Amino acid sequence: MSAPRTILDGPALWSAQAHMPSVVGRQLVIERGQGCYIQTIDGRRLFDGTAGLWHANIGHAHPALAEAARAQMVKLETYHTFARFVNDRAIALAERLAGLSPIADPKVILNTGGSDAIDVACKLARRHWQREGRSTKTTILSREYAYHGLHAFGTSIAGLDFNREGYGTESLVPETARVPVHDLDALAGTIARIGPENIAAIVTEPIQGTGGVNPPAPGYLEGVQQLCRQHDILFILDEVITGFGRTGNMFAAERFDLEPDLITFAKGVTSGYAPLGGILISPNIWHPFYVDDAATPVFRHGATYAGHATACAVAMANLDILEREDLLSRVAQLEQLLDRLLKQLQARRPSVVDVRVCGFLGGVTLAEDIAAERAADALIELGFISRPLRGNTLQLSPPFITTDDELTQFVDAIDHVLSTEEAK
């Protein structure tokens, strides 16, 4: 049966991660934002309970970031960072990030976002072992329910099967494997089965985001790190969501006392005001590419907009705000409030199967008879944005500038929706 003309004649824009027949005609067209709120072209004002896609940490339309972008653009919009060329803003941002890094004495590769960062980190892990002469170490491990963007490597290491399916092969990059989400014994078994001599790295989010807001089981990340050290496997921490304050620390590595070999970052570095991401690289990896020797190799990374001067200027202004307004301390306060509110919600609502909070990240898992998609739609009608995630889970990750009253109202709205659903 052919699709209705109203769908086929819809907008030219092909939306991301969308079943298009389900969204055409229902799309919320956002035209402006202010603080914790966004507004649609038809005048609806909505509390941004997800901070966009986990990124609007300082809220929307902050004038300081707009001014930073304007000031940079009238001076130099950007210049590439290939070979001998580099721009001053990319240098300044890299130095500042190195100073904030939980990795001691890192180098910084800048690019345009989280998917880019994962691609570069996985390539660098493989390039590292090839340079070391250990040519069989090519496999990248990742966890069940993981999300690491949708470039070729991110698609290949996804722990959400629907993001890997439909491309004619189990994995776009063949040397990948998944391990159970919290099971160290299973990880050790996978390492033994594949052979540590064949494994380049394991990639993990410290707190899984799209997979359902899954904090690590106690001791799990520390155990992963120990297995990596024991078997000479690189430990890559994907902090695209958690980096720059979302856990109450600048990086989740600090919260969990981890020392990864590579950290990927994006989203929170600019609070989404400009597309920017990158990786922090430990000396054991970067040093051989820097020694002055005839055999020193080139790591072939780079993109036109990597180290984009305006994006870097915006990132610097964003970091200023995080520090000046002491927003990391505010995140710690909001975490405590969110934890209390969600536990109260679970106690009141039989339709709430589980709640999870770690940092200013919350997940509310619903009973099977109440679809998270339907609950999220009902929340929009009440003026609040949540997002349905894997496991029939609602996402809560508002901006860091959220007030106690706004957070309480958000959870109250979820309570109202669930009460209505339970009464049906």
Side-chain angles (χ1 to χ4, degrees):
M1 184 173 65
S2 61
R5 296 306 308 177
T6 53
I7 294 176
L8 297 180
D9 295 336
L13 181 66
W14 191 337
S15 296
Q17 291 286 72
H19 178 252
M20 293 308 297
S22 301
V23 301
V24 170
R26 301 178 59 243
Q27 289 160 309
L28 296 165
V29 182
I30 312 305
E31 68 165 353
R32 66 180 63 242
Q34 185 63 52
C36 292
Y37 296 84
I38 54 94
Q39 185 172 309
T40 65
I41 58 171
D42 58 359
R44 282 190 277 183
R45 183 172 182 261
L46 302 172
F47 177 76
D48 190 359
T50 62
L53 286 176
W54 325 83
H55 63 252
N57 294 345
I58 65 167
H60 299 284
H62 199 297
L65 272 66
E67 175 54 30
R70 187 207 67 81
Q72 182 60 44
M73 283 185 176
V74 298
K75 179 183 178 185
L76 172 70
E77 75 294 345
T78 196
Y79 208 79
H80 69 79
T81 60
F82 281 49
R84 290 182 63 194
F85 292 93
V86 68
N87 66 73
D88 63 337
R89 292 299 84 199
I91 290 176
L93 178 61
E95 292 296 328
R96 188 163 183 181
L97 294 175
L100 295 172
S101 171
I103 296 174
D105 190 25
K107 296 298 183 187
V108 182
I109 289 177
L110 296 174
N111 47 46
T112 60
S115 291
D116 282 359
I118 286 292
D119 231 45
V120 172
C122 291
K123 286 171 62 179
L124 181 54
R126 289 183 55 152
R127 186 70 183 88
H128 166 77
W129 293 118
Q130 297 302 302
R131 191 210 55 76
E132 289 279 303
R134 302 174 68 177
S135 60
T136 63
K137 289 179 76 68
T138 57
T139 297
I140 307 291
L141 302 183
S142 54
R143 294 165 70 198
E144 179 186 28
Y145 309 143
Y147 180 82
H148 299 291
L150 292 175
H151 285 2
F153 250 119
T155 297
S156 300
I157 63 175
L160 297 163
D161 289 343
F162 53 76
N163 280 330
R164 291 204 321 276
E165 294 168 349
Y167 299 106
T169 183
E170 194 275 334
S171 182
L172 288 174
V173 179
E175 298 92 348
T176 69
R178 257 64 53 206
V179 298
V181 65
H182 293 306
D183 192 333
L184 284 172
D185 289 339
L187 172 57
T190 298
I191 292 172
R193 175 176 58 82
I194 296 174
E197 71 279 7
N198 299 315
I199 301 172
I202 181 168
V203 185
T204 182
E205 303 156 274
I207 303 165
Q208 290 188 332
T210 304
V213 187
N214 303 316
Y220 177 78
L221 293 174
E222 298 89 336
V224 171
Q225 179 170 271
Q226 183 178 352
L227 284 169
C228 286
R229 299 292 182 263
Q230 178 182 341
H231 295 291
D232 221 7
I233 296 168
L234 297 184
F235 181 30
I236 303 175
L237 202 62
D238 180 351
E239 294 232 34
V240 168
I241 288 174
T242 53
F244 305 99
R246 183 56 69 173
T247 66
N249 298 91
M250 190 60 74
F251 291 92
E254 299 166 302
R255 177 170 178 139
F256 298 111
D257 195 24
L258 302 173
E259 297 179 358
D261 298 290
L262 298 165
I263 293 175
T264 63
F265 64 85
K267 299 183 187 293
V269 69
T270 66
S271 285
Y273 281 69
L276 186 125
I279 59 176
L280 303 171
I281 307 154
S282 61
N284 63 303
I285 297 175
W286 68 254
H287 187 267
F289 291 89
Y290 273 70
V291 295
D292 188 8
D293 187 279
T296 299
V298 175
F299 176 48
R300 299 291 180 181
H301 74 90
T304 301
Y305 302 122
H308 193 282
T310 300
C312 291
V314 169
M316 295 285 275
N318 177 65
L319 294 173
D320 288 344
I321 290 167
L322 290 178
E323 293 173 0
R324 184 170 64 246
E325 299 184 10
D326 196 20
L327 290 179
L328 271 62
S329 294
R330 178 59 182 154
V331 166
Q333 297 168 358
L334 287 164
E335 175 182 7
Q336 294 178 15
L337 176 58
L338 180 61
D339 185 61
R340 183 168 71 252
L341 290 171
L342 291 189
K343 285 176 178 175
Q344 291 170 351
L345 177 70
Q346 183 177 18
R348 282 196 305 273
R349 291 284 147 237
S351 57
V352 175
V353 174
D354 188 29
V355 297
R356 296 171 299 284
V357 174
C358 192
F360 198 29
L361 286 164
V364 177
T365 299
L366 306 180
E368 291 182 1
D369 59 334
I370 299 178
E373 291 83 357
R374 190 167 73 242
D377 285 346
L379 282 167
I380 286 172
E381 296 307 309
L382 296 177
F384 296 87
I385 297 175
S386 181
R387 184 164 166 250
L389 302 176
R390 184 214 65 85
N392 207 34
T393 293
L394 290 174
Q395 171 189 340
L396 296 86
S397 58
F400 299 169
I401 60 171
T402 299
T403 67
D404 289 5
D405 285 345
E406 287 169 335
L407 186 57
T408 301
Q409 290 164 15
F410 185 22
V411 177
D412 284 348
I414 296 172
D415 186 26
H416 177 79
V417 166
L418 298 182
S419 174
T420 302
E421 290 286 333
E422 290 169 3
K424 290 181 179 179

